[in-house]
Amino acid sequence: MHVKKKMRLLRSLAINKLGPSAPFVRVLPTDYCNLGCSYCWQHTADRHQMSAVLFESCLRNARRLDVGLVSFLGGEPTLWPHLRDAIGSCTRHHICTDLTTNGMTLDAD
């Protein structure tokens, strides 16, 4: 983990110990999933997705709140076309990212 990312995450966790804060944010960019697992609560074929503009607005707010981690989940976040750009934007602002995925769309890239 990059040092600046680690320091931001540690600072956000420390701030949380001193009072109410938001050390991390969960982003659900899409409710759609390419699987239909029986144990999963996410059973929608709705392909509505968060816009890149809305994500950037949320990220600006997260930065103001000293968030240290943005977690992408959903549906299947790898089906969201803006995922790479969103992770890149978090990285440029030294915010750690986490991805919860079924892995079906992952490849060597």
Side-chain angles (χ1 to χ4, degrees):
M1 184 184 308
H2 190 272
V3 172
K4 287 185 179 181
K5 283 185 177 182
K6 187 180 285 186
M7 293 305 295
R8 184 182 181 101
L9 180 59
L10 291 173
R11 187 178 82 231
S12 69
L13 292 171
I15 290 169
N16 186 252
K17 294 294 182 188
L18 300 174
S21 70
F24 70 91
V25 171
R26 291 184 177 140
V27 176
L28 286 78
T30 180
D31 285 336
Y32 179 70
C33 183
N34 55 335
L35 297 178
C37 303
S38 61
Y39 57 83
C40 183
W41 57 269
Q42 192 64 52
H43 292 289
T44 181
D46 180 5
R47 292 187 181 251
H48 179 75
Q49 298 181 350
M50 175 185 279
S51 70
V53 172
L54 178 57
F55 174 78
E56 287 299 326
S57 176
C58 292
L59 184 60
R60 276 192 301 278
N61 288 336
R63 289 175 49 218
R64 277 195 292 272
L65 294 170
D66 285 323
V67 165
L69 172 73
V70 172
S71 182
F72 295 94
L73 58 154
E76 177 49 47
T78 63
L79 298 174
W80 185 48
H82 311 294
L83 182 62
R84 284 182 186 236
D85 292 337
I87 291 172
S89 193
C90 290
T91 297
R92 282 189 299 283
H93 295 290
H94 311 295
I95 297 174
C96 295
T97 55
D98 173 68
L99 178 66
T100 301
T101 177
N102 61 34
M104 296 300 291
T105 65
L106 298 179
D107 58 26
D109 290 335

